Amino acid sequence: MLLAIDVGNTNTVFAIHDGTTFLSEWRCATEQARTADQYYVWLRNLMLLNGIEPEIDRVVISSVVPQVVFNLRVLSDKYFECRPIVVGKPEVDLGVPVRVDAGTLVGADRLVNTVGAFDRYGGDLIVVDFGTATTFDVVDQDGAYIGGVISPGVNLSIKALHEAAAALPHIDVTMPDNVIGTNTLVCMQAGVFWGYIGLIEGVCKKIREEHPRPMKIVGTGGLAGLFERGTDLFDSIDGDLTMHGLVLIADKNRGE
């Protein structure tokens, strides 16, 4: 069985794939100090609670937090007796080209999303990922990653607004009934929600203007479904795009 691990700035997702389908998925807070032993105890108990025998023989890792990778490598070596595939390492074959400026390091999550999206939707895509940062990744007609846009994430913006303005409360992300707020809470909710709708639509419009062919737009990440309610921009919302990409990369590099 394959253990796919996606390390984000805020959360880390673990998913078990049996070669055909995902059996289960769990997440924990991303913490640099968590040891391989702690990962294993946590993961093993969750697997057993879900009736899954811990018979992992392959591990694939995507991480935007480099400090976490060492202990995940130890987890793979010590407890599953296999060498993990770490996306972004030179020896890992993505199956698609990466055409960016020389010396540019592209986030592993963005590469994985590109692989997963091209497999499911073909080329000429914009992949909008609502994570700690809101990213826009451009997939060319041959599946190549050719660049994109990075914006502050929704929750990061809310936190910054709350911390910088003493009179403003911390709010949850939601779609308000009205754009014009009649109290502080609704004013903030409208500003965040419709502000991000404007951001998404505006950035995608500019990308489409620079691209020589028509493009489809795919949304992913935890808040994609919420923002889909405020716009007709998206052709698809795909909640497991990253994990799908990790499985494809693992299969591409099987035995390496």
Side-chain angles (χ1 to χ4, degrees):
M1 287 193 295
L2 172 69
L3 172 62
I5 306 172
D6 174 35
V7 182
N9 287 296
T10 305
N11 292 316
T12 299
V13 180
F14 295 75
I16 306 294
H17 194 271
D18 67 358
T20 303
T21 188
F22 286 105
L23 301 180
S24 200
E25 179 179 301
W26 310 282
R27 66 182 57 228
C28 64
T30 299
E31 294 181 3
Q32 298 179 20
R34 186 173 281 122
T35 67
D37 301 325
Q38 289 173 314
Y39 279 122
Y40 181 70
V41 170
W42 174 80
L43 186 60
R44 182 178 184 277
N45 285 333
L46 285 171
M47 292 176 68
L48 293 176
L49 283 170
N50 285 268
I52 303 171
E53 290 297 326
E55 297 177 355
I56 305 297
D57 56 9
R58 294 190 297 149
V59 177
V60 60
I61 302 168
S62 166
S63 177
V64 298
V65 185
Q67 300 88 339
V68 173
V69 175
F70 174 78
N71 282 318
L72 291 175
R73 283 183 175 273
V74 174
L75 169 72
S76 180
D77 293 336
K78 181 177 180 179
Y79 290 105
F80 304 127
E81 298 181 352
C82 64
R83 180 184 179 186
I85 298 163
V86 181
V87 178
K89 295 299 181 182
E91 68 273 14
V92 174
D93 184 3
L94 298 175
V96 299
V98 178
R99 293 197 286 267
V100 294
D101 294 343
T104 300
L105 294 177
V106 180
D109 55 336
R110 306 178 77 181
L111 298 175
V112 172
N113 283 347
T114 296
V115 172
F118 180 63
D119 180 71
R120 283 184 168 168
Y121 307 102
D124 292 323
L125 297 175
I126 303 170
V127 181
V128 185
D129 189 349
F130 296 89
T132 303
T134 299
T135 58
F136 302 76
D137 296 314
V138 181
V139 184
D140 211 354
Q141 62 180 344
D142 62 346
Y145 176 86
I146 58 172
V149 176
I150 302 174
S151 301
V154 182
N155 286 309
L156 188 63
S157 297
I158 290 173
K159 180 180 179 182
L161 183 62
H162 168 62
E163 291 179 351
L168 297 181
H170 191 282
I171 62 170
D172 293 326
V173 186
T174 188
M175 179 178 177
D177 294 331
N178 301 299
V179 176
I180 301 174
T182 55
N183 58 66
T184 300
L185 179 63
V186 177
C187 287
M188 292 178 67
Q189 289 172 338
V192 169
F193 184 85
W194 293 111
Y196 265 86
I197 291 295
L199 169 71
I200 298 160
E201 293 179 340
V203 170
C204 288
K205 179 176 181 291
K206 297 300 291 184
I207 291 173
R208 280 174 158 168
E209 289 174 357
E210 291 185 7
H211 197 71
R213 292 172 298 278
M215 308 181 79
K216 298 185 291 293
I217 300 176
V218 179
T220 190
L223 292 173
L226 172 64
F227 284 101
E228 182 191 24
R229 295 166 53 194
T231 179
D232 59 2
L233 183 71
F234 295 104
D235 294 284
S236 299
I237 298 294
D238 195 329
D240 70 344
L241 187 64
T242 304
M243 285 300 166
H244 177 62
L246 280 172
V247 171
L248 293 173
I249 293 171
D251 289 345
K252 181 75 174 175
N253 293 270
R254 185 187 289 270
E256 296 185 4

